[in-house]
Amino acid sequence: MWVAMTPEHALAEIGRMQRHVGPRGRWPAWVWLAGGLLTSACGTFAPPVTGGLAGSVVAFGFAAFAVAVLAYALTQRVVGRTPARLETRLTSAFVGLVAADVVFRVTASPTHPAPAVMLFGCLPALPMLYGAWRVWRA
Amino acid sequence: MAGLTAVSTHPRHRLDGAIHAPVRLSIMAALASAGRVEFGFLRDLVEVSDSLLSKHLGVLEAAGYIEVIKGFVGKRPRTWLALTPAGRAAFDAYAAALRALVDAPTRAPE
């Protein structure tokens, strides 16, 4: 059924949709903030800096967080404009920096959180923190 | 011809017929506020049936205004919808025409 709308009603409908949909697409900012903070912590203390039970806790904790984030993301039904624009580039940067960190740990085998270890460990967090900032700024 | 030119400058001539139907306006407004929106969410938001939403989405897709993205969550299919750059430009122009109509001074009949 076609119902005529006045321009005022049409603008009101546009405003209603913006208010309803806009805020629902900002959830990736929280995910990226939490991911950035956890990545910094785990990246610094990941094996071989910590071994044994502590190393397992760090590795398992990060894996559990990743699974929880994926499950949460799959339940979301709106992705905002800024997250949709950034997600591919941020994911690529994150994967690349994690790979660089893994190569560093395998080749250098650090046993304590030296500055270089902290640098390589924290770098993968930067794309996520940048993404969170961009979403909140938009 | 002078009369036709005067008529064609009225903001209503800038109202895009593909967006003008109320359901399609709601769809476009919802998609313009996000990067992508899931089909079921949009159906509930616009308060229409699956079939009616699909019909209107078909019109917008044929106009090149929306993109339909099919995917799966486990074994369940999930459909996402997003505006194309052409769709976003058309919606911005449509909203500008609406604002021009609202802001235009009322003309007294001659």
Side-chain angles (χ1 to χ4, degrees), chain A residues 91-107 120 124:
Chain A
T91 304
S92 302
F94 174 76
V95 170
L97 290 168
V98 167
D101 186 32
V102 169
V103 169
F104 167 73
R105 282 164 197 272
V106 168
T107 54
F120 274 96

Side-chain angles (χ1 to χ4, degrees), chain B residues 1 5 7 13 21 23 28 32 34 43 48 50-51 61-62 64 97 107:
Chain B
M1 290 302 284
T5 303
V7 168
H13 292 285
V23 171
M28 291 292 285
R43 176 200 59 211
V48 292
D50 283 4
S51 58
E61 192 179 15
R107 292 179 187 173

Side-chain angles (χ1 to χ4, degrees), chain B residues 60-85:
Chain B
L60 293 170
E61 192 179 15
Y65 289 173
I66 65 163
E67 179 186 5
V68 180
I69 306 151
K70 304 268 187 189
F72 283 88
V73 177
K75 290 182 179 177
R76 295 178 57 188
R78 183 171 277 196
T79 302
W80 292 86
L81 305 153
L83 283 192
T84 62

